[in-house]
Amino acid sequence: MPPTYRLCLTASEHSARHIRRIVRSLLAEWGMPELTDSVELAVTELVANVVRHVPDRRCVLLVLRQTAGIRVEVSDGSRQPPCPRGELGEDAESGRGLLLLGAVVDKWGVAPAPGGGKTVWFEISGYS
């Protein structure tokens, strides 16, 4: 079974910083430090979406080492899927997160979570 890391938490404004440290440590341990910047940015966006859009802010983070990269999943109890926003004004202060996610990962998606809610996931391939 490939190495995995699982964390259940109630997300707050400060959770992303803690999760970035965990991800950085995991990627170093798994010999994939070149993925750190992209994974940190993408996981920060998923956790920020939990803080902004999930009423109880509870979620489960799962980081899976794959043969050629990393898969990260964030599951929560909200059935509301994330919606990429259409046109944004130049001075819009939010709404670009999913566009940013799509720019730094190889693929991402949303699936129903076991027991209700949803799982938002992304995958990033290694370069070696």
Side-chain angles (χ1 to χ4, degrees), residues 31-125:
M32 305 173 120
E34 70 278 3
L35 301 181
T36 300
D37 291 342
S38 296
V39 174
E40 283 183 356
L41 186 60
V43 78
T44 295
E45 179 53 35
L46 296 190
V47 172
N49 282 346
V50 170
V51 171
R52 284 186 207 108
H53 303 293
V54 177
D56 67 6
R57 295 184 172 186
R58 291 183 11 204
C59 65
V60 176
L61 168 75
L62 185 64
V63 182
L64 302 108
R65 184 174 193 267
Q66 297 181 314
T67 304
I70 295 292
R71 179 180 174 101
V72 175
E73 300 178 358
V74 176
S75 300
D76 61 59
S78 172
R79 296 180 196 275
Q80 181 68 34
C83 294
R85 294 206 183 151
E87 295 285 325
L88 293 171
E90 288 181 19
D91 56 351
E93 295 184 15
S94 65
R96 292 184 176 85
L98 294 175
L99 296 172
L100 183 62
L101 179 68
V104 300
V105 304
D106 294 315
K107 56 185 171 178
W108 71 277
V110 183
K118 68 180 173 303
T119 298
V120 183
W121 58 269
F122 67 83
E123 294 180 357
I124 299 178
S125 297

Side-chain angles (χ1 to χ4, degrees), residues 5-35:
Y5 176 83
R6 185 174 190 267
L7 174 66
C8 299
L9 72 145
T10 301
S12 74
E13 291 80 12
H14 305 289
S15 297
R17 181 176 0 149
H18 176 69
I19 291 169
R20 283 192 301 270
R21 282 195 305 265
I22 291 169
V23 166
R24 190 177 313 119
S25 176
L26 287 171
L27 292 172
E29 180 181 325
W30 294 345
M32 305 173 120
E34 70 278 3
L35 301 181

